[in-house]
Amino acid sequence: MSKRSAAVVLYAALLTASLLQVFQSIVVAHFFDPEYLAPYRYGILTAGFAYLFATGLIESVFFFVSGKYAPHSRKYVGNTLAGCALIFLAILLLFHLLLRPYALIHTELGPYLREIGVYLLIVLFLFVNMTAHNALVGTGHTAIASWLRVTQYLLRVLAIAAALVSGLIASIYQLILLIVVLEAAQSLLYGVVLLNRKLLSFRVRGIETRAQYRYALGLGIAGFIPFINASLDKIMISAFLGASSFAIYSVSAIELPIAGILMSVFGSVLFSTYVGYAEGGDHPSMAALWRKCSTYGMIAIVPVGIVVFLFSDVLYRLILPDAYFDGHRVLGIYALLLLLRFNSPDVLARALNRNAIIVQAAVAMLIVNIAGNLVFISNFGLWGAALATLCGTAAGWMYYLVRYARLLDTTVGRLLPWKPYSRLIAISAIFFGAARWTFDRVEVSAALAVLGAAAYLFYAFSLLEKPEKAYVRGLLKKMSGTSRSTA
């Protein structure tokens, strides 16, 4: 499978899985009001902190199944899983022997420690699932990795919806237990697939174990501050506005799946290509590939961010109970993050083994984020925290661009396609903004939206290079041929 096809397959799979995850959140919100949903959302936040301790090791898989390490990739996968198991045991002991009885009982988490303790069991299976996914994608088994990811989320949302509708689940605690069982089953399936594809061995002799742990440590440290950045607004909302507001904010403060997926695809499928350029000292090719990915990423995400920002109140009235409506502005501002999430920000740093850049960018984001939260929450409430996150992300992105331009011996203007970026934003803002302004006249609003979509697609197609244009034409021909045969 070519890199382009692999990227398309993985993107479609991750988008589907993320949409299913969003749908799961909507379903759960319809059965539990914010004050009852709080322990579940606190469990997710706590599990995210726990995952942070292994994220460097798990992300290191991409590097150690590529290039010169590829012949021993199965041993590096086994070494990763063994390390993750030890990390999980340490986390479990830390939580139950120290944090739960002595520290967390005095925080906002105190009333929900039973639920959080059970939710932590999911962390072990999350370690396994993400390691397996990275190993499969990194070794070119994109199709099977995509199928497993979609199956996992589809079965989970179906099981949860069925249990809630039938009345088998009546509390958040029972819901968490069900999720633990489902994740354990998925981990077992991932293990079988790794063995079948000969990508798992716990005989780690002959590999550079210390090199992997050093690389993972750098990634882990680099990922710590970005995670704090991503969670800071939720923590601040919980501290200042309480558990109910935290639940509303957590449901609303989501980056639309298209953003994280896009960065994941560009960062995983193309990672080995970046490493090859880095090992050969081919900086111009690295810059050209990053610019190309940025252009295509912008095409995919710019209109979505602007449309959701403009129509966030409409979406909330359609998909969520009234108890969560205050969060629609949060969703709208988070949608604007898409305008800054058009490419993987750290892939160049990881490929060049310059993980310090990730830390430095994260520090810049953190400083702006903290200042923004302290100022904006007191003035604007829920959506003030989202605004602080947007400002912090913008600061981090500017730092990345400046550092990458220096490393690759180019300029920020050449690294980032500014003209297409501004034009894509302008087309989307003008047409979809007019559609929102005339929303009370449905026929006019719909006509403007269709016209805007047509103008956007025409300009976006003109930005593609010849191979991508041919690829799109081929897909359209296949789709039209399929529809004709069906008819």
Side-chain angles (χ1 to χ4, degrees):
M1 182 182 292
S2 68
K3 294 286 186 181
R4 186 190 300 112
S5 297
V8 171
V9 169
L10 184 61
Y11 180 83
L14 293 180
L15 179 60
T16 302
S18 295
L19 290 174
L20 288 170
Q21 191 173 17
V22 172
F23 180 70
Q24 175 186 313
S25 297
I26 294 171
V27 170
V28 173
H30 274 278
F31 283 87
F32 298 99
D33 286 337
E35 59 269 25
Y36 300 108
L37 189 65
Y40 172 61
R41 304 305 306 191
Y42 278 124
I44 294 174
L45 182 63
T46 306
F49 272 102
Y51 181 78
L52 186 64
F53 288 95
T55 184
L57 190 57
I58 293 170
E59 292 299 315
S60 74
V61 168
F62 285 119
F63 192 83
F64 286 90
V65 297
S66 306
K68 64 181 181 180
Y69 299 104
H72 300 288
S73 57
R74 60 189 300 187
K75 293 183 178 180
Y76 284 107
V77 174
N79 189 52
T80 301
L81 289 175
C84 285
L86 293 175
I87 292 171
F88 171 73
L89 289 176
I91 291 170
L92 212 58
L93 290 173
L94 177 66
F95 178 82
H96 286 287
L97 297 181
L98 182 62
L99 295 181
R100 180 172 179 172
Y102 299 112
L104 296 180
I105 194 69
H106 303 295
T107 69
E108 292 85 359
L109 305 182
Y112 314 113
L113 289 180
R114 184 184 69 152
E115 289 83 359
I116 292 172
V118 176
Y119 202 97
L120 272 181
L121 296 176
I122 294 174
V123 173
L124 173 62
F125 308 121
L126 184 62
F127 287 170
V128 174
N129 295 349
M130 290 307 301
T131 299
H133 176 82
N134 291 352
L136 290 168
V137 173
T139 54
H141 297 85
T142 307
I144 186 66
S146 302
W147 179 83
L148 286 169
R149 178 63 69 89
V150 173
T151 302
Q152 173 187 7
Y153 284 95
L154 179 60
L155 292 178
R156 189 168 73 181
V157 72
L158 289 176
I160 290 173
L164 288 171
V165 171
S166 65
L168 291 176
I169 290 178
S171 69
I172 286 296
Y173 185 75
Q174 294 171 335
L175 172 65
I176 293 173
L177 287 175
L178 175 61
I179 295 175
V180 170
V181 173
L182 294 172
E183 289 295 312
Q186 186 66 23
S187 294
L188 180 61
L189 179 59
Y190 268 118
V192 171
V193 171
L194 287 177
L195 289 171
N196 181 261
R197 299 286 169 171
K198 296 181 179 180
L199 283 174
L200 181 60
S201 173
F202 292 102
R203 298 179 180 179
V204 296
R205 289 185 178 180
I207 66 173
E208 298 181 34
T209 304
R210 291 184 179 179
Q212 184 182 10
Y213 281 116
R214 282 196 301 269
Y215 184 88
L217 180 61
L219 275 183
I221 294 172
F224 179 78
I225 299 177
F227 180 83
I228 297 298
N229 270 316
S231 305
L232 181 65
D233 51 354
K234 302 176 183 65
I235 296 170
M236 299 284 271
I237 286 291
S238 177
F240 285 106
L241 302 181
S244 182
S245 294
F246 165 77
I248 295 173
Y249 190 89
S250 296
V251 170
S252 308
I254 55 171
E255 284 193 34
L256 299 176
I258 191 173
I261 294 167
L262 197 69
M263 293 189 296
S264 176
V265 170
F266 288 156
S268 58
V269 173
L270 299 175
F271 186 76
S272 59
T273 304
Y274 281 117
V275 170
Y277 289 147
E279 290 179 347
D282 191 356
H283 290 174
S285 293
M286 293 186 76
L289 180 58
W290 203 86
R291 180 184 174 89
K292 180 178 179 179
C293 290
S294 296
T295 301
Y296 293 168
M298 292 170 184
I299 291 172
I301 68 175
V302 163
V304 180
I306 291 177
V307 167
V308 173
F309 172 75
L310 293 170
F311 291 89
S312 62
D313 57 334
V314 178
L315 288 172
Y316 258 59
R317 294 201 184 279
L318 288 174
I319 64 176
L320 282 169
D322 291 341
Y324 293 88
F325 184 74
D326 286 345
H328 80 86
R329 290 188 180 89
V330 175
L331 176 65
I333 294 174
Y334 257 75
L336 293 180
L337 287 172
L338 292 180
L339 306 185
L340 300 167
R341 308 280 273 175
F342 45 80
N343 199 353
S344 176
D346 61 359
V347 64
L348 292 179
R350 292 191 292 117
L352 292 165
N353 201 9
R354 299 289 293 272
N355 294 328
I357 295 175
I358 305 174
V359 178
Q360 293 158 3
V363 170
M365 292 172 65
L366 184 62
I367 293 171
V368 175
N369 205 356
I370 291 174
N373 272 283
L374 292 175
V375 174
F376 295 149
I377 290 178
S378 60
N379 288 283
F380 306 119
L382 281 179
W383 65 273
L387 183 59
T389 299
L390 178 63
C391 294
T393 303
W397 263 102
M398 289 306 301
Y399 184 84
Y400 272 120
L401 289 174
V402 171
R403 288 301 308 275
Y404 287 157
R406 291 177 181 175
L407 280 175
L408 301 178
D409 300 319
T410 184
T411 64
V412 173
R414 292 177 181 175
L415 186 63
L416 182 70
W418 290 104
K419 287 184 179 179
Y421 183 45
S422 58
R423 289 170 182 170
L424 291 170
I425 292 176
I427 293 172
S428 300
I430 291 170
F431 284 99
F432 297 123
R436 183 67 180 91
W437 185 50
T438 59
F439 192 64
D440 55 333
R441 299 180 61 185
V442 178
E443 68 283 358
V444 176
S445 180
L448 287 169
V450 172
L451 182 61
Y456 187 90
L457 290 173
F458 177 80
Y459 179 67
F461 187 77
S462 71
L463 295 176
L464 301 181
E465 296 180 2
K466 287 184 178 180
E468 281 69 36
K469 287 181 178 178
Y471 187 79
V472 171
R473 290 192 184 103
L475 286 177
L476 292 175
K477 287 181 180 179
K478 288 181 181 180
M479 292 173 61
S480 62
T482 303
S483 61
R484 288 175 184 174
S485 62
T486 304

